[in-house]
Amino acid sequence: MKESITRYQFISLVILFEFGSSIIVGLGLEAKQNAWLVILLSMIGGILLYWLFTRFVSSYPDTPFPQVLQIVAGPYLGYLFIWVYIAYFLYIAARVLRDFTMLTAQTILHETPLIAVSLLFMLVVCFACYLGIEVIARTSELFLPFILLMGGLFLMFVFIMDLPKIHHLQPFFNQDIGEILSFVFPTGVTFPFGELIVFTIIFHHLEDPLKSFRYGVTGILYSGTSLLIISVTILMVLGPMIAMNSTVPLLDTISLVNLQGIIQRLDPIVIIIMVITGFFKITIFFYAAVAMLQYLFRLPRRDSKGLIGFMGILVIILSILISPNFVEHMKEGLDIVPIYVHVPMQMIIPSFLFLLLFIRNKRNNQ
Amino acid sequence: MKKLFRLFTKKENSEQTEHQPTPIDTDLPQNLTYIKNSLGESTDIVIRKFKIGEKRTVKIAVVYTDGLVNESTVHESLLETLMSDVRQTQLSKQALNKGMYYTVRDHVLTAGELDELETLDDVLLHVLSGDTVLFLEGETKALCVSTRGWQDRGVEEPSTQAVVRGPKDGFTETLRTNTALLRRKIKDPNLWITTQAIGTKTKTDVAVVYMNGIANEKIVKEVHKRLNQINIDSLLDSGYVEELIQDETYTPFPTVYNSERPDSIAAGLLEGRVAIIVDGSPFVLLVPALFMQFFQSPEDYYQRSDFATLVRLIRFIAFFLALLTPSAYIALTTYHQEMIPTSLLINLSSQREGVPFPALVEALIMEVTFEILREAGVRLPKAVGSAISIVGALVLGQAAVEAGLVSSAMIIVVSLTAISSFVSPSFNFAISIRMLRFLFMILAATFGLFGILLGLIVLALHLASLRSFGVPYLSPLAPYITSDQKDTILRFPRWGLLTRQRLINQKNIDRENMHKPKPTSRSPKKGDSS
């Protein structure tokens, strides 16, 4: 039986995926007062990229992405691309896992060893992948209202406390346009919007794959707007300098809330958002890698326990070996990965494939 | 795990050989000897031999089980008519010529339900079910008269799922009474009932009840298919059937709904669900059963809609309290003291000062004690009940705190959990929360809030993966169906409940077209006054 995903489920997957890590570490905060502009421009760039990703599904609506790769790029080059993307998705899954275990260790579990946290996290991710995309999608649909509620509570309490100060956002446009664009590209566009390339694996599960562009853009608009509001709120509360240097600005913001001694210590709100959105981000990346491997090995979902377990252990090891400490990890994530990993994977290869697809469609029409 | 189970469940099928049914012999004594021998001359089997006919030439034997038949029916409509009335009435020549067997069948027996049997195995089955069987000398057929009527419990108020407002009748152990209770509620020709016997030894009647035209045919077919697959020797309660037809074995959650209340089952039938009644059990099964159904009580539909919505919300809160209170307490006191307000934290730690155990052990002691008390309370004879409640209050109360075993905050936590777990209108659903609570406590003790959150994610994933007869267990929440939200967490007013649930039923969606009631205008119309 083919697993199918409804419209709501797809949109909530996109939103939770976009929220994963970006809502916690803050988006565009390096741009200081111009963060809102950076997020807005990144979102537009992200939508353009997403349009590119959906081109393949509109030509081959019911075909899994790895198969599309082999059709478009030919069997050998396609095979190579499949492995490249598997490696890419696993690498990003490991990076995000590292992000979240670090953040968890910093915020709530100060003395628990990292490996224990990542082991438990990965166990849940593997369980989700074993159950399949339909179950993951239903779960995302179930959790989305809670995350939105938590975000709403965050905003409500921060504004009730009258914490945001408009002067933190001034002066506008204190940087020249080139500097602003340097935040948009490559960092802003690729993270988190360009990462939506992973959804190419899921498109053919949609009830109506041809509408994937419309649904995805709805998701991007909702999540982008929410991220914009959250980022601007954080900036207005903490001020540009603290916001930029904080590891978990959302947590720092909410810890300032203290309403008459009754409503205080709202850290659980941020922890809940962090764990749940992080779970979906890792799960989707990991699922994409697993789904491609299942396609390569012709393994049915119910028989791939061993494969999933093995890949899970691989991701845990990778997440630990990826960098010796948090500072280096963040530095890599912000400076090296976007240019040398994200840009080729999210822009160059898809554009190349799109070109091939375009030529192919032209030839078929003649 | 599954391999382990297979070890125990694997069996050789070679010993089962086809049993050849024994036909009824023309020789009457031989038939009776066969019956006596097969039943081991059981003392409750009554065999009455006598002769009928004008000249008392035809030998006849009546066989029935004492206690399972309605004595007066047997005497009045069988023995009396056969022995005395037959001789007094003048039967036409034609009727007599056809033979005594047909005369008895067509003219004598006044019973409503009459059957012809051809094998002695059928005879045994019917005799043991409470029917009376007539043998005539020289005939290879036996007449079977339905005389079932045994002592049973009357229709009483159900002991589970009590309501303040609403019908108070409950199902009984007799299948016929139960189907009658449903027919009394739904007088529609489309209420279809099919019966089959399951259990090689018990031959229990199992009835499948559904509304033709409303119930999804696929689900009805699936129910029949799964019932036909059952191969078991005994079927003593509907719990057996539930376990044999459910979709997923390895889950703490029930995927089959059961109720003792005819109104609840009737409402389910009208929504398009399929009911399964098992003879001998007052608990009727209803499929497909969804997660949200276990938060709903029949009373929600008898009370005002706003109140019903509020009560449903309370049940939700109670569900999470019952599941998470002890684990949240453990996580907060062990890992996240910074999340507790300072003054409360000081209080808590001063209470916990004298307690020698970590929070997990403390919580486990109290929770296990409570579970033991509850189990004892269920099994106790009523006379000893009050003693247990006194002891229970001591164990789970101030005495435990003063003894220095637990902190007083823990008492509050356990009591809150206990009360919340009784809120669920469905008993078997509350059991699953009881079991999961301990898992969450261990998760909280090892990973704090992070562990609880991951536990909740796993729980959500598991629930999302469940199906009940093909319908996703979490629908209409996930997959989200807007039109079904009117009767999920909220309960809309009756005029808002115009359509049936989408996934359960696909063709007959519209209920009656009700309109919002409007009071007739108080001031008389202009035309009326003149």
Side-chain angles (χ1 to χ4, degrees):
Chain A
M1 198 176 69
K2 193 194 157 208
E3 296 172 280
S4 78
I5 298 176
T6 64
R7 182 165 54 120
Y8 287 122
Q9 286 167 354
F10 186 77
I11 293 174
S12 53
L13 269 180
V14 170
I15 294 177
L16 288 177
F17 178 82
E18 295 289 280
F19 279 177
S21 65
S22 55
I23 198 168
I24 302 292
V25 298
L27 198 58
L29 293 179
E30 314 83 53
K32 295 176 195 159
Q33 285 89 338
N34 296 317
W36 58 275
L37 189 63
V38 170
I39 298 176
L40 215 59
L41 291 176
S42 309
M43 200 157 81
I44 295 167
I47 291 174
L48 287 177
L49 265 185
Y50 185 73
W51 178 81
L52 185 66
F53 303 151
T54 52
R55 286 312 89 202
F56 305 105
V57 77
S58 53
S59 297
Y60 303 98
D62 293 319
T63 323
F65 185 62
Q67 203 178 335
V68 177
L69 276 177
Q70 284 189 321
I71 294 170
V72 173
Y76 300 108
L77 198 58
Y79 194 69
L80 179 74
F81 280 144
I82 293 176
W83 278 106
V84 166
Y85 271 107
I86 290 172
Y88 172 62
F89 293 147
L90 281 181
Y91 176 68
I92 300 298
R95 281 203 70 83
V96 182
L97 181 67
R98 177 64 178 259
D99 282 344
F100 277 93
T101 46
M102 290 294 229
L103 289 174
T104 317
Q106 276 189 7
T107 49
I108 42 174
L109 296 172
H110 307 286
E111 283 165 40
T112 314
L114 275 186
I115 184 138
V117 176
S118 41
L119 199 68
L120 191 72
F121 216 118
M122 217 46 214
L123 211 63
V124 180
V125 171
C126 289
F127 179 60
C129 288
Y130 171 65
L131 292 176
I133 189 66
E134 202 176 71
V135 173
I136 298 172
R138 277 191 211 145
T139 315
S140 76
E141 189 176 29
L142 204 63
F143 276 121
L144 183 68
F146 283 101
I147 295 299
L148 294 182
L149 179 76
M150 293 294 153
L153 283 178
F154 167 79
L155 289 176
M156 192 183 85
F157 287 129
V158 167
F159 276 93
I160 284 179
M161 286 295 295
D162 203 20
L163 289 173
K165 302 281 182 287
I166 192 77
H167 67 82
H168 284 314
L169 280 185
Q170 292 157 337
F172 290 143
F173 299 117
N174 57 342
Q175 294 148 309
D176 59 55
I177 196 77
E179 209 176 342
I180 291 174
L181 284 181
S182 75
F183 291 118
V184 175
F185 184 87
T187 320
V189 176
T190 52
F191 170 83
F193 300 107
E195 286 179 339
L196 285 173
I197 180 131
V198 72
F199 278 79
T200 46
I201 310 292
I202 299 170
F203 284 150
H204 71 282
H205 286 299
L206 261 172
E207 277 176 352
D208 187 358
L210 292 177
K211 286 189 178 156
S212 54
F213 179 68
R214 194 188 302 170
Y215 298 160
V217 167
T218 318
I220 293 175
L221 286 178
Y222 275 121
S223 55
T225 319
S226 320
L227 286 171
L228 182 80
I229 295 170
I230 296 274
S231 274
V232 169
T233 313
I234 290 172
L235 270 178
M236 279 159 74
V237 174
L238 295 179
M241 286 317 288
I242 304 175
M244 194 175 81
N245 293 320
S246 160
T247 16
V248 194
L250 197 68
L251 200 63
D252 292 339
T253 311
I254 204 156
S255 60
L256 294 175
V257 172
N258 185 350
L259 196 64
Q260 303 291 316
I262 303 166
I263 292 169
Q264 52 173 353
R265 295 159 209 261
L266 295 170
D267 312 17
I269 290 186
V270 175
I271 309 291
I272 291 171
I273 295 179
M274 184 176 85
V275 175
I276 291 175
T277 55
F279 163 76
F280 280 104
K281 189 137 192 170
I282 301 173
T283 304
I284 292 169
F285 274 121
F286 188 66
Y287 172 80
V290 168
M292 285 177 110
L293 283 169
Q294 280 169 345
Y295 169 80
L296 277 186
F297 299 145
R298 305 274 186 279
L299 263 179
R301 180 167 57 84
R302 288 280 168 191
D303 291 346
S304 46
K305 261 185 215 168
L307 174 77
I308 293 174
F310 177 72
M311 300 315 283
I313 293 168
L314 197 71
V315 168
I316 294 174
I317 295 170
L318 201 59
S319 81
I320 290 163
L321 295 182
I322 226 162
S323 57
N325 56 52
F326 191 65
V327 180
E328 197 179 317
H329 179 71
M330 289 311 257
K331 175 81 179 158
E332 271 175 23
L334 291 174
D335 295 343
I336 300 171
V337 171
I339 301 175
Y340 296 106
V341 181
H342 282 331
V343 170
M345 290 297 167
Q346 297 172 1
M347 297 173 196
I348 298 175
I349 294 181
S351 310
F352 172 64
L353 288 170
F354 177 61
L355 205 68
L356 289 180
L357 181 78
F358 187 71
I359 295 167
R360 196 182 177 80
N361 284 352
K362 261 277 159 63
R363 204 191 294 156
N364 283 358
N365 285 346
Q366 279 169 2
Chain B
M1 190 79 162
K2 274 184 186 161
K3 273 178 198 161
L4 195 76
F5 272 89
R6 226 171 283 150
L7 269 181
F8 290 103
T9 48
K10 232 177 202 174
K11 236 191 253 171
E12 295 297 316
N13 286 337
S14 58
E15 50 189 304
Q16 281 186 346
T17 43
E18 272 301 306
H19 180 67
Q20 209 63 33
T22 323
I24 295 174
D25 204 82
T26 44
D27 186 28
L28 181 63
Q30 199 180 326
N31 287 335
L32 297 181
T33 328
Y34 180 87
I35 289 175
K36 273 184 193 163
N37 286 342
S38 354
L39 292 170
E41 313 226 354
S42 295
T43 43
D44 58 341
I45 307 295
V46 177
I47 299 179
R48 176 83 166 81
K49 283 178 275 189
F50 51 93
K51 289 174 184 169
I52 57 167
E54 268 178 297
K55 288 163 192 162
R56 298 198 168 245
T57 48
V58 185
K59 277 196 246 168
I60 192 166
V62 171
V63 185
Y64 62 89
T65 311
D66 199 15
L68 287 184
V69 294
N70 188 336
E71 292 280 339
S72 64
T73 320
V74 174
H75 282 275
E76 281 160 23
S77 70
L78 264 169
L79 298 179
E80 232 174 82
T81 37
L82 282 170
M83 291 168 95
S84 57
D85 294 358
V86 171
R87 274 185 295 134
Q88 285 160 14
T89 38
Q90 291 291 318
L91 284 165
S92 65
K93 272 269 163 57
Q94 213 181 353
L96 282 171
N97 286 343
K98 275 174 108 181
M100 206 58 193
Y101 177 83
Y102 297 98
T103 316
V104 171
R105 190 188 74 183
D106 298 338
H107 300 283
V108 179
L109 291 179
T110 52
E113 218 176 293
L114 195 70
D115 221 354
E116 288 186 350
L117 304 176
E118 288 179 353
T119 66
L120 283 166
D121 301 277
D122 277 350
V123 170
L124 284 176
L125 177 64
H126 279 274
V127 168
L128 293 175
S129 312
D131 292 335
T132 303
V133 176
L134 259 83
F135 287 102
L136 270 88
E137 171 81 54
E139 292 291 336
T140 55
K141 281 180 187 173
L143 285 168
C144 166
V145 185
S146 175
T147 52
R148 298 181 193 197
W150 48 80
Q151 294 296 319
D152 61 353
R153 200 166 58 96
V155 175
E156 288 168 14
E157 192 176 341
S159 54
T160 59
Q161 290 185 312
V163 295
V164 178
R165 183 177 170 182
K168 307 249 172 182
D169 52 346
F171 285 122
T172 70
E173 280 78 5
T174 317
L175 180 74
R176 271 293 150 257
T177 319
N178 293 349
T179 53
L181 283 169
L182 287 177
R183 281 255 185 242
R184 287 244 346 253
K185 296 225 185 285
I186 309 171
K187 296 174 195 72
D188 191 282
N190 284 322
L191 180 71
W192 286 11
I193 302 174
T194 54
T195 312
Q196 66 190 104
I198 297 178
T200 48
K201 293 273 182 285
T202 55
K203 308 232 168 40
T204 314
D205 284 329
V206 176
V208 176
V209 187
Y210 60 96
M211 293 293 291
N212 179 43
I214 296 178
N216 191 336
E217 273 150 25
K218 273 189 203 155
I219 293 175
V220 176
K221 240 181 230 161
E222 184 66 31
V223 170
H224 280 296
K225 204 182 105 195
R226 290 192 193 177
L227 284 178
N228 287 333
Q229 278 171 355
I230 294 179
N231 187 2
I232 195 174
D233 66 333
S234 62
L235 203 64
L236 299 178
D237 186 81
S238 57
Y240 286 43
V241 178
E242 175 175 342
E243 215 175 312
L244 290 166
I245 63 169
Q246 65 191 356
D247 292 56
E248 182 81 51
T249 314
Y250 303 104
T251 173
F253 292 95
T255 48
V256 176
Y257 183 80
N258 68 65
S259 178
E260 256 187 299
R261 303 182 54 84
D263 55 333
S264 171
I265 298 297
L269 290 175
L270 291 168
E271 275 173 1
R273 296 178 209 264
V274 181
I276 301 162
I277 310 177
V278 177
D279 193 29
S281 171
F283 289 93
V284 174
L285 307 178
L286 197 66
V287 293
L290 306 182
F291 183 72
M292 294 312 299
Q293 207 178 337
F294 293 95
F295 289 95
Q296 299 167 356
S297 157
E299 199 177 355
D300 293 353
Y301 302 95
Y302 310 142
Q303 300 281 11
R304 293 178 49 81
S305 65
D306 44 4
F307 175 69
T309 303
L310 186 70
V311 172
R312 279 187 184 176
L313 284 176
I314 286 173
R315 287 191 202 119
F316 253 105
I317 296 167
F319 169 75
F320 283 108
L321 281 181
L323 190 65
L324 296 177
T325 319
S327 44
Y329 176 78
I330 293 170
L332 286 181
T333 51
T334 323
Y335 285 93
H336 318 296
Q337 290 94 347
E338 75 275 5
M339 290 178 191
I340 311 173
T342 319
S343 49
L344 181 61
L345 182 65
I346 292 168
N347 271 340
L348 281 180
S349 30
S350 68
Q351 280 170 22
R352 284 190 45 79
E353 209 174 21
V355 180
F357 310 115
L360 172 70
V361 176
E362 195 189 352
L364 277 179
I365 290 175
M366 291 316 277
E367 288 291 343
V368 170
T369 315
F370 172 69
E371 292 297 332
I372 291 171
L373 268 175
R374 164 144 66 177
E375 197 54 25
V378 176
R379 317 270 164 244
L380 269 182
K382 274 192 184 118
V384 210
S386 59
I388 276 293
S389 57
I390 294 166
V391 177
L394 285 176
V395 175
L396 282 178
Q398 200 57 36
V401 178
E402 280 166 18
L405 279 175
V406 291
S407 60
S408 37
M410 195 64 228
I411 302 283
I412 298 178
V413 167
V414 173
S415 330
L416 191 64
T417 320
I419 299 167
S420 305
S421 64
F422 285 117
V423 171
S424 172
S426 186
F427 180 70
N428 53 349
F429 191 72
I431 296 174
S432 57
I433 308 172
R434 272 160 73 180
M435 292 191 290
L436 290 173
R437 185 192 302 148
F438 288 96
L439 285 182
F440 273 95
M441 278 156 68
I442 291 165
L443 275 176
T446 44
F447 286 96
L449 189 59
F450 179 71
I452 297 179
L453 279 174
L454 285 190
L456 280 176
I457 292 177
V458 170
L459 185 66
L461 282 169
H462 174 68
L463 283 172
S465 74
L466 285 181
R467 277 168 185 273
S468 176
F469 283 79
V471 180
Y473 196 48
L474 278 181
S475 71
L477 292 179
Y480 182 82
I481 298 163
T482 320
S483 64
D484 290 351
Q485 299 302 318
K486 60 187 181 297
D487 188 17
T488 305
I489 299 173
L490 309 172
R491 204 281 268 174
F492 273 30
R494 201 137 276 287
W495 42 264
L497 305 172
L498 296 183
T499 54
R500 298 193 168 88
Q501 287 210 15
R502 183 123 67 86
L503 282 186
I504 289 174
N505 145 313
Q506 260 127 14
K507 27 176 210 184
N508 192 340
I509 289 169
D510 285 328
R511 282 168 179 266
E512 299 319 303
N513 197 4
M514 287 170 285
H515 293 287
K516 187 177 176 180
K518 284 179 190 141
T520 47
S521 58
R522 280 191 200 128
S523 56
K525 282 175 194 169
K526 275 176 190 172
D528 293 349
S529 55
S530 59

